[in-house]
Amino acid sequence: MKIAYCMHYIGTSFDELSENLDTLIEFGDDVFVMINDDDLRDQIVITYADEPAVHVSQVQQQALAGDLSLPRGQIVQLRNAFDAQVNEKKHYDRFVLMTDGMMPVRSRKDIVDYFEKHEGKDIYYVLSDSDTDGSIAKRFESYAFFTNTMSFQKSAMVKGMNAMTSKLVHSFKQRRIDDTLVLSYPWFVLTPQSARALADAFPYCSNTFKMCLYPEELAIATMLRKFSPVEHVNENIWVCGKSGEYVMQKPFEPTTLETIAAHPDALFATKIKSDQNFDVYQDYFDAYLK
């Protein structure tokens, strides 16, 4: 099995990113990495110039959680992967969409065994949809201005401006959609058929989810429901933060060894960073390469 990992990296550590890349390509897989820092991106491009398994995103170079740039960037990475299949005569059996700081916490053999167990199916975790939960449509109808600013999630001033502007605009211009909105965790393991469906429907993502807050929780799952006939496995194989559970519309927190141990079925974890939870960071390498 050949996996295309679509990775996002926020940070400036060359050692951390290069260790992550080297580990993920160890078994012959490819990594498509979107790097926010300009200097680090240049370093990685130069260092891996002769490594065909590492593809540094150039069409869209940066992304931010909570912003349309993240699902857009991930779909661009899928498009880049299909270009690589044509230009470099490669074939990928699975496409794994990962957010910043996400890494495998089990061996590659365990991961491949799980993927093969669900051959021909996508894997992602749906919580609800707008057919059964009216709050999802209301969330979609709101506008999140001041996105694409690196501080918009943290700045109280920007949050206040966004709330005020959103209410004002909503009062005379409501966003409408006829499709069923699907609320999910922001991580996906895709079959080639679904990855192709997303790549082909890229304009839908940009046009539909503009100025949505945390569109990564809505956009890709909604698009898969609309554009892909592939059945999906609704299992949570991800562990996140100290609690182990992803919290909707909240920034990722570093996870712990204790949390990972308490979720033995999890295959991936976030957030793993060498400067935030070094013990987890060290163990992840041993776990994946075992």
Side-chain angles (χ1 to χ4, degrees):
M1 174 177 289
K2 190 174 182 68
I3 301 171
Y5 287 105
C6 297
M7 180 181 178
H8 179 213
Y9 185 79
I10 299 175
T12 59
S13 173
F14 174 83
D15 290 339
E16 178 182 76
L17 179 54
S18 61
E19 285 177 333
N20 290 341
L21 294 173
D22 291 345
T23 300
L24 290 176
I25 67 175
E26 176 70 21
F27 296 97
D29 298 318
D30 281 16
V31 179
F32 295 80
V33 57
M34 186 163 38
I35 305 169
N36 276 30
D37 185 77
D38 294 338
D39 292 336
L40 179 58
R41 187 186 316 112
D42 292 342
Q43 283 184 281
I44 294 295
V45 167
I46 294 170
T47 302
Y48 289 90
D50 296 325
E51 175 50 75
V54 174
H55 311 256
V56 179
S57 297
Q58 299 293 344
V59 175
Q60 181 181 316
Q61 297 179 328
Q62 299 174 328
L64 181 66
D67 185 90
L68 181 61
S69 58
L70 183 54
R72 271 178 51 95
Q74 291 174 324
I75 296 175
V76 169
Q77 287 178 315
L78 294 178
R79 292 164 71 98
N80 291 341
F82 284 113
D83 288 341
Q85 288 195 155
V86 174
N87 299 331
E88 302 173 27
K89 295 181 172 57
K90 295 183 176 183
H91 173 77
Y92 303 112
D93 302 291
R94 286 288 188 169
F95 300 80
V96 180
L97 304 187
M98 305 191 299
T99 53
D100 175 59
M102 171 162 284
M103 288 295 150
V105 290
R106 300 289 179 249
S107 71
R108 184 182 182 278
K109 182 182 183 304
D110 290 344
I111 291 172
V112 169
D113 287 347
Y114 181 84
F115 290 175
E116 290 181 341
K117 174 184 174 183
H118 299 294
E119 184 177 359
K121 297 180 181 179
D122 298 325
I123 304 160
Y124 55 98
Y125 192 57
V126 169
L127 288 89
S128 187
D129 62 41
S130 58
D131 291 341
T132 57
D133 183 352
S135 67
I136 297 176
K138 289 182 180 179
R139 169 179 164 178
F140 172 82
E141 290 169 3
S142 298
Y143 289 85
F145 294 90
F146 309 103
T147 52
N148 278 318
T149 60
M150 293 299 288
S151 64
F152 88 97
Q153 293 177 39
K154 303 175 183 177
S155 169
M157 181 183 72
V158 173
K159 285 182 179 179
M161 292 172 64
N162 180 58
M164 178 181 67
T165 309
S166 178
K167 290 178 181 178
L168 179 64
V169 171
H170 184 72
S171 65
F172 65 85
K173 183 177 177 59
Q174 291 193 358
R175 192 197 309 264
R176 300 295 186 189
I177 188 171
D178 294 327
D179 301 320
T180 298
L181 293 161
V182 182
L183 184 68
S184 77
Y185 282 3
W187 310 300
F188 300 85
V189 179
L190 302 175
T191 59
Q193 185 176 2
S194 287
R196 171 59 73 182
L198 290 177
D200 291 344
F202 176 69
Y204 178 91
C205 179
S206 299
N207 296 332
T208 305
F209 296 97
K210 191 177 299 181
M211 288 190 291
C212 281
L213 191 60
Y214 285 91
E216 62 267 36
E217 299 171 356
L218 289 173
I220 291 180
T222 297
M223 291 174 67
L224 289 170
R225 176 80 64 90
K226 179 177 177 65
F227 296 109
S228 175
V230 176
E231 181 182 350
H232 96 275
V233 178
N234 200 53
E235 291 184 1
N236 181 15
I237 58 171
W238 299 272
V239 59
C240 182
K242 295 179 180 179
S243 70
E245 297 298 325
Y246 174 67
V247 181
M248 306 301 287
Q249 300 191 68
K250 296 289 184 181
F252 303 120
E253 292 185 350
T255 192
T256 67
L257 288 174
E258 293 75 17
T259 305
I260 294 172
H263 295 77
D265 294 332
L267 301 180
F268 299 88
T270 199
K271 193 171 196 178
I272 300 174
K273 291 285 189 176
S274 60
D275 62 343
Q276 297 180 36
N277 46 0
F278 188 67
D279 52 347
V280 182
Y281 179 80
Q282 282 183 310
D283 275 22
Y284 132 75
F285 294 107
D286 295 335
Y288 188 69
L289 298 174
K290 183 171 62 179

